[in-house]
């Protein structure tokens, strides 16, 4: 139970649950400020964009252009065409897998 | 709306389970995440950072930061739901994107009927999704474990595609686009110089800096 993975799983669970509970408990005015509201709206945007970018180009501490980039490019096309979530994800995986199979 | 949410979440849960075990977590750890964390974005963030060689601390920090939006949802839901005691302890776990959307659908029209429908929608959607999400995770996790090397099946491209799909629904304004582009550039730029997992945390500062800097401008104009 003391492996880093379990620690991360349990700490994430505790943190995420407490945030949900805190939202139901704190007075509304705490988050009413305009600046706070804007940071709260944009925070998930920044995190998701960073996660997508890092996972497209990074391997450990290095930047690499490999089959993932082609997969993600196809995902972008699928998103522009308003494809459902599973299609976007599957198209990315299939593209990268096919590219690796033929190279 | 209900059916489309269910189909999307089922697919999302399958993807999560498969990516999690293919990325190195056990089936038990993967299922524990879906039961205990129950907010997809944070779960994907954690397995993404860990799978990319990031530390447990940076993985947890990314996941919890992404969970901050649920607190904002909770603040908006509290006056509608009127949860007390045990109801609140259980109900809190169901505060996620989908339940918030369903619960607040009728908010604009107001009225007690709309509020009741919102409360029912919240509990029904939340509990149904909880079951669906966890079953899908288990199926995906077992399948992911059987896959072996995730790169062979392109699963390492599926993860960033999943984040992009989640991001796409939030790109509804110019500041959102600007934040996304700058955050992505900043994160990629610092990859070679900071430990794995940390670039995402650096990018989290982008909206904070942008909003603080944006506020200074009107002050300067008036002074």
């Amino acid at each position: 139970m003391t492996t880093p993975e379990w620690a991360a799983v349990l700490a994430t669970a505790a943190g995420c649950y407490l945030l949900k509970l805190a939202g139901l408990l704190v007075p509304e005015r705490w988050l009413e400020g305009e600046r706070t509201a804007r940071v709260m709206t944009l925070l998930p945007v920044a995190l998701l964009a960073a996660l997508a970018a890092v996972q497209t180009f990074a391997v450990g501490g290095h930047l690499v252009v490999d089959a993932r980039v082609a997969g993600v490019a196809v995902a972008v096309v699928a998103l522009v065409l308003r494809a459902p979530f599973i299609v976007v994800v599957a198209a990315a995986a299939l593209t990268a897998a096919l590219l690796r199979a033929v190279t | 709306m209900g059916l489309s949410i269910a189909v999307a979440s089922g697919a999302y849960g399958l993807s999560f389970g498969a990516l999690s075990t293919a990325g190195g977590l056990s089936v038990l750890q993967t299922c524990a995440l879906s039961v205990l964390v129950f907010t997809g974005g944070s779960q994907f963030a954690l397995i993404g950072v860990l799978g990319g060689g990031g530390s447990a601390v940076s993985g947890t920090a990314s996941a919890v930061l992404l969970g901050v939006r649920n607190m904002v949802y909770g603040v908006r839901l509290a006056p509608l739901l009127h949860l007390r005691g045990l109801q609140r302890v259980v109900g809190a776990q169901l505060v996620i994107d989908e339940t918030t959307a369903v619960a607040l659908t009728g908010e604009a029209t107001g009225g007690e009927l709309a509020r009741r429908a919102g409360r029912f929608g919240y509990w029904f959607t939340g509990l149904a999704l909880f079951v669906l999400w966890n079953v899908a995770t288990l199926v995906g996790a077992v399948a992911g474990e059987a896959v072996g090397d995730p790169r062979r099946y392109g699963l390492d491209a599926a993860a960033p595609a999943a984040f992009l799909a989640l991001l796409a629904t939030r790109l509804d304004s110019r500041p959102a686009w600007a934040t996304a582009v700058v955050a992505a550039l900043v994160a990629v730029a610092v990859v070679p110089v900071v430990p794995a997992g940390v670039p995402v945390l650096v990018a989290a500062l982008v909206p904070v800096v942008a909003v603080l800097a944006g506020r200074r401008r009107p002050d300067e104009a008036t002074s």
Side-chain angles (χ1 to χ4, degrees), chain B residues 46-130:
Chain B
L46 177 62
I47 63 162
V49 172
L50 292 181
S55 71
V57 172
S58 55
T60 302
S62 303
V64 171
L65 275 177
L66 203 50
V68 167
R69 72 188 189 290
N70 291 327
M71 182 172 77
V72 181
Y73 296 156
V75 170
R76 293 195 60 196
L77 288 171
L80 172 78
L81 297 176
H82 291 303
L83 300 174
R84 291 286 174 269
L86 187 65
Q87 239 184 6
R88 182 154 59 195
V89 173
V90 176
Q93 181 70 331
L94 306 179
V95 176
I96 53 172
D97 297 305
E98 294 86 347
T99 51
T100 306
V102 169
L104 298 179
T105 299
E107 199 194 34
T109 55
E112 182 51 31
L113 199 64
R115 295 171 63 84
R116 257 194 228 179
R119 279 195 288 272
F120 175 78
Y122 175 81
W123 283 103
F124 182 79
T125 310
L127 293 172
L129 281 185
F130 189 82

Side-chain angles (χ1 to χ4, degrees), chain B residues 4-204:
Chain B
S4 62
I5 287 183
V7 171
S9 301
Y12 191 31
L14 281 174
S15 320
F16 170 73
L19 287 174
S20 179
T21 48
L25 290 192
S26 68
V27 173
L28 189 61
Q29 285 165 337
T30 301
C31 289
L33 277 174
S34 279
V35 172
L36 299 174
V37 178
F38 190 56
T39 176
S42 295
Q43 296 177 222
F44 268 101
L46 177 62
I47 63 162
V49 172
L50 292 181
S55 71
V57 172
S58 55
T60 302
S62 303
V64 171
L65 275 177
L66 203 50
V68 167
R69 72 188 189 290
N70 291 327
M71 182 172 77
V72 181
Y73 296 156
V75 170
R76 293 195 60 196
L77 288 171
L80 172 78
L81 297 176
H82 291 303
L83 300 174
R84 291 286 174 269
L86 187 65
Q87 239 184 6
R88 182 154 59 195
V89 173
V90 176
Q93 181 70 331
L94 306 179
V95 176
I96 53 172
D97 297 305
E98 294 86 347
T99 51
T100 306
V102 169
L104 298 179
T105 299
E107 199 194 34
T109 55
E112 182 51 31
L113 199 64
R115 295 171 63 84
R116 257 194 228 179
R119 279 195 288 272
F120 175 78
Y122 175 81
W123 283 103
F124 182 79
T125 310
L127 293 172
L129 281 185
F130 189 82
V131 173
L132 183 67
W133 178 245
N134 282 290
V135 171
T137 297
L138 176 62
V139 173
V142 172
E145 209 177 37
V147 159
D149 179 11
R151 296 178 70 252
R152 214 180 126 205
Y153 295 90
L155 289 181
D156 54 339
F163 285 120
L164 276 186
L166 291 177
L167 173 65
T169 61
R170 295 174 181 275
L171 293 176
D172 52 3
S173 69
R174 199 179 282 250
W177 274 99
T179 302
V181 170
V182 175
L185 289 175
V186 166
V188 168
V190 300
V191 160
V193 291
V194 298
V198 178
V200 174
L201 301 177
V202 175

Side-chain angles (χ1 to χ4, degrees), chain A residues 3-13 15-17 19-28 31 35 38-40 42-58 60-63 66-68 71-72 75-76 79 85-86 88-89 92-94 96-97 100, chain B residues 11-12 15 25 28-29 32-33 36-38 42 45-46 48 56 60 63-68 70-72 74-75 78 83 88-89 92-93 95 151-154 156-165 167 170 176 179-180 183-184 187-188 191-192 199-200 203-204 207 211-212 215:
Chain A
T3 63
E5 286 82 7
W6 271 115
V9 167
L10 297 177
T12 298
C16 287
Y17 177 76
L19 282 168
K20 291 171 176 176
L21 187 64
L24 294 176
L25 292 171
V26 302
E28 204 159 353
L31 298 178
R35 277 183 303 160
R38 277 167 60 200
V39 171
M40 292 290 179
L42 294 175
L43 183 62
V45 172
L47 287 164
L48 291 169
L51 282 161
V54 167
Q55 298 210 356
T56 303
F57 295 107
H62 303 278
L63 295 175
D66 61 16
R68 288 176 300 175
V72 171
V76 170
L79 281 171
F85 181 86
I86 190 73
V88 173
V89 173
L94 199 64
R100 288 200 179 108
Chain B
Y12 191 31
S15 320
L25 290 192
L28 189 61
Q29 285 165 337
L33 277 174
L36 299 174
V37 178
F38 190 56
S42 295
L46 177 62
T60 302
V64 171
L65 275 177
L66 203 50
V68 167
N70 291 327
M71 182 172 77
V72 181
V75 170
L83 300 174
R88 182 154 59 195
V89 173
Q93 181 70 331
V95 176
R151 296 178 70 252
R152 214 180 126 205
Y153 295 90
D156 54 339
F163 285 120
L164 276 186
L167 173 65
R170 295 174 181 275
T179 302
V188 168
V191 160
V200 174
V211 168
L212 288 178
R215 185 180 170 260

